[in-house]
Amino acid sequence: MARGGPGVGWHARELVDRLARQSPARLAVGVFGGVIAIITVLLLAPWATAAGTPAPFVDALFTATSATTVTGLVVVPTGSYWSIWGLVVILVAIQIGGLGVMTLASLLGMAVSRRIGLTQRLLVSSETKTTRLGEVGSLVRTVIVTSVVLEVSIALVLFPRFRLEGEGWGTSAWHAAFYAISAFNNAGFVPTVEGLAPFASDWWVLLPIIVGVFVGSLGFPVILNVGARLRDARRWNLHSKLTITTSIALVVAGSILVAAFEWTNPRTFQPLGPSATALASLFAGVMPRSGGFSTVDIGAMHESTWLLMDALMFVGGGSASTAGGIKVTTLAVMLLAIVAESRGDRDVEAYGRRVPREALQVAIAVSLISATLVLVASLLLLAMTGDTLDRILFEVISAFGTCGLSTGLTPELPTAAKYVLSVLMFVGRTGTMTLAAALALRNRRRVIRYPEERPIIG
């Protein structure tokens, strides 16, 4: 009998190969869109809600988008509205979304840096099933193992604390696992009605969550690079050094400024003691990185604090991480360019390395396009709600930066505005990542170049 033609698997690999080669953006968008659709269907089941009735479509879609994009914005109270089934679905969406972000972003990043041929790796791993370091299968396994180890470590620290609160073994394990996964993936979802408010002064609970959010926001390339050279920081690559130093600077500055703005606020920090105030300030300085957790009422904070958090949420965390925003390396490259220009230097340099001009061009493009998205979404919500600009801007940037902090406006939004924020969360998660990769991959070499002429700037 004659051998048949190529099978379904071969055609599927060809399709993936073509998408990865021609449009990596479509690959990322397709993966996230498909996951969101499945999670939405699961949350529409009657048994997904505590009341036993199907959730409205817009609420299920919004929650599925928020969980898959690891944002944390909610239109219904997570701990009381959803059943155990619904919470498990949300937790699975957070885990898939977090792993998907790190895996896809790492693949795209390595394709851009020419350290890995994305198309060739996909085909080789599919055909030969080899597991040598650097191939897609090995990368995915490393991402999963690293994530699970860190999440389990956080859960093991939290578990005995919840037991001391009088919770049962099962409940303690569930809450510890939920907070660990939500923290490392920068999701900001909480499994209880009270959230973390009862632990506002509890270092045992909040410090592991702070560490989980911060490490998760660094990104898998940084975690892998630092882990391989933990004792020799001089051998860390430029991306790791820029990500870590800029992240620490933003956390320190954010924590100090939040403390300064909220120290005398009777509805937030004033009732807390010195130790609790220090913890609350550190917590509030880390969470805008894309963590989304809160121990005090964000809606009761001063407008100056909102504006500060807007800036921190817009920047976000590290590239190829579970955090959103324009990314800290984008900010770092633009700041380095400003320093170089002010000194009259020809090159943008840091840590003994020269940053290519193409990186600065991508950083500027990502920043301007992101700012435009925030502007358009803010205008739409202003027209739909008539609410004040400060509250709307906070929610819009929180959605775009996949942060999840809220002044309390999101549950009050009309249906059309919820759809706008859903789209913004999706674009904020997939857009900047794929846009940066697409721009970096478009490197045209021109034979003929026009004469140079410098316009007047400023």
Side-chain angles (χ1 to χ4, degrees):
M1 185 172 61
R3 186 181 297 274
V8 176
W10 184 87
H11 289 294
R13 289 193 294 271
E14 281 292 302
L15 176 62
V16 172
D17 172 43
R18 188 163 58 251
L19 284 174
R21 182 175 63 252
Q22 297 177 355
S23 180
R26 292 181 184 177
L27 183 62
V29 170
V31 169
F32 277 95
V35 173
I36 289 173
I38 294 172
I39 298 301
T40 301
V41 172
L42 294 175
L43 290 179
L44 285 172
W47 52 85
T49 64
T53 57
F57 176 78
V58 63
D59 293 344
L61 175 64
F62 190 99
T63 304
T65 305
S66 183
T68 306
T69 60
V70 288
T71 300
L73 282 176
V74 295
V75 289
V76 293
T78 304
S80 60
Y81 185 84
W82 302 105
S83 64
I84 293 297
W85 163 263
L87 290 174
V88 170
V89 169
I90 291 172
L91 193 62
V92 170
I94 292 171
Q95 187 71 81
I96 294 175
L99 292 175
V101 168
M102 289 189 291
T103 302
L104 287 173
S106 298
L107 289 173
L108 293 177
M110 282 188 281
V112 169
S113 65
R114 303 296 191 269
R115 293 178 183 173
I116 181 174
L118 179 58
T119 300
Q120 290 76 11
R121 295 301 188 187
L122 285 171
L123 287 176
V124 168
S125 62
S126 298
E127 293 289 350
T128 65
K129 306 298 183 184
T130 54
T131 59
R132 289 177 297 175
L133 183 63
E135 295 180 354
V136 169
S138 178
L139 174 65
V140 173
R141 278 190 294 275
T142 306
V143 170
I144 293 175
V145 170
T146 303
S147 301
V148 171
V149 168
L150 291 173
E151 289 166 356
V152 170
S153 300
I154 297 170
L156 289 176
V157 175
L158 293 176
F159 175 76
R161 183 67 186 89
F162 291 139
R163 283 287 296 142
L164 292 176
E165 286 292 305
E167 296 181 356
W169 290 91
T171 303
S172 297
W174 164 246
H175 287 166
F178 197 105
Y179 277 115
I181 294 174
S182 188
F184 178 73
N185 290 288
N186 282 215
F189 280 87
V190 294
T192 59
V193 178
E194 303 84 4
L196 291 173
F199 304 99
S201 59
D202 195 325
W203 286 86
W204 190 345
V205 172
L206 298 190
L207 190 58
I209 292 176
I210 290 173
V211 173
V213 169
F214 184 80
V215 173
S217 70
L218 293 177
F220 175 72
V222 175
I223 295 173
L224 185 62
N225 180 248
V226 172
R229 300 171 176 86
L230 188 59
R231 297 183 179 181
D232 191 0
R234 293 174 299 178
R235 296 181 60 194
W236 296 352
N237 59 31
L238 179 60
H239 173 73
S240 297
K241 292 177 180 177
L242 287 179
T243 299
I244 292 174
T245 54
T246 309
S247 297
I248 292 175
L250 290 175
V251 168
V252 172
S255 300
I256 293 174
L257 290 174
V258 168
F261 293 154
E262 295 297 320
W263 194 274
T264 58
N265 189 338
R267 296 191 294 171
T268 55
F269 285 8
Q270 190 184 51
L272 303 176
S275 176
T277 300
L279 177 59
S281 301
L282 177 61
F283 198 81
V286 172
M287 290 308 123
R289 302 294 315 288
S290 192
F293 295 102
S294 60
T295 56
V296 297
D297 184 7
I298 301 295
M301 288 182 166
H302 295 307
E303 293 180 3
S304 56
T305 309
W306 289 352
L307 186 59
L308 170 65
M309 288 186 169
D310 287 343
L312 294 174
M313 290 189 296
F314 186 75
V315 174
S319 299
S321 74
T322 53
I326 63 172
K327 304 299 187 293
V328 293
T329 44
T330 302
L331 174 65
V333 167
M334 291 192 294
L335 291 177
L336 289 171
I338 294 173
V339 172
E341 186 66 26
S342 64
R343 291 176 175 176
D345 295 337
R346 235 180 122 83
D347 298 323
V348 178
E349 299 172 339
Y351 296 105
R353 294 291 185 269
R354 176 171 53 87
V355 179
R357 189 182 66 175
E358 290 80 5
L360 177 59
Q361 293 173 337
V362 172
I364 293 173
V366 169
S367 300
L368 289 179
I369 293 174
S370 300
T372 302
L373 288 172
V374 169
L375 173 63
V376 171
S378 298
L379 290 173
L380 289 174
L381 261 66
L382 280 171
M384 292 175 181
T385 66
D387 213 306
T388 57
L389 177 60
D390 51 1
R391 296 186 73 199
I392 285 179
L393 186 63
F394 192 97
E395 305 293 309
V396 165
I397 295 180
S398 181
F400 167 77
T402 66
C403 178
L405 292 175
S406 175
T407 62
L409 176 64
T410 299
E412 305 170 1
L413 293 175
T415 299
K418 293 178 183 178
Y419 283 121
V420 171
L421 284 189
S422 296
V423 172
L424 191 61
M425 287 188 291
F426 184 80
V427 173
R429 168 53 62 206
T430 61
T432 54
M433 175 177 67
T434 55
L435 172 65
L439 290 175
L441 288 170
R442 290 178 61 86
N443 186 16
R444 296 192 303 170
R445 296 185 179 274
R446 302 184 61 172
V447 178
I448 301 175
R449 301 177 69 187
Y450 291 112
E452 183 179 277
E453 182 174 353
R454 186 183 181 112
I456 299 174
I457 305 295

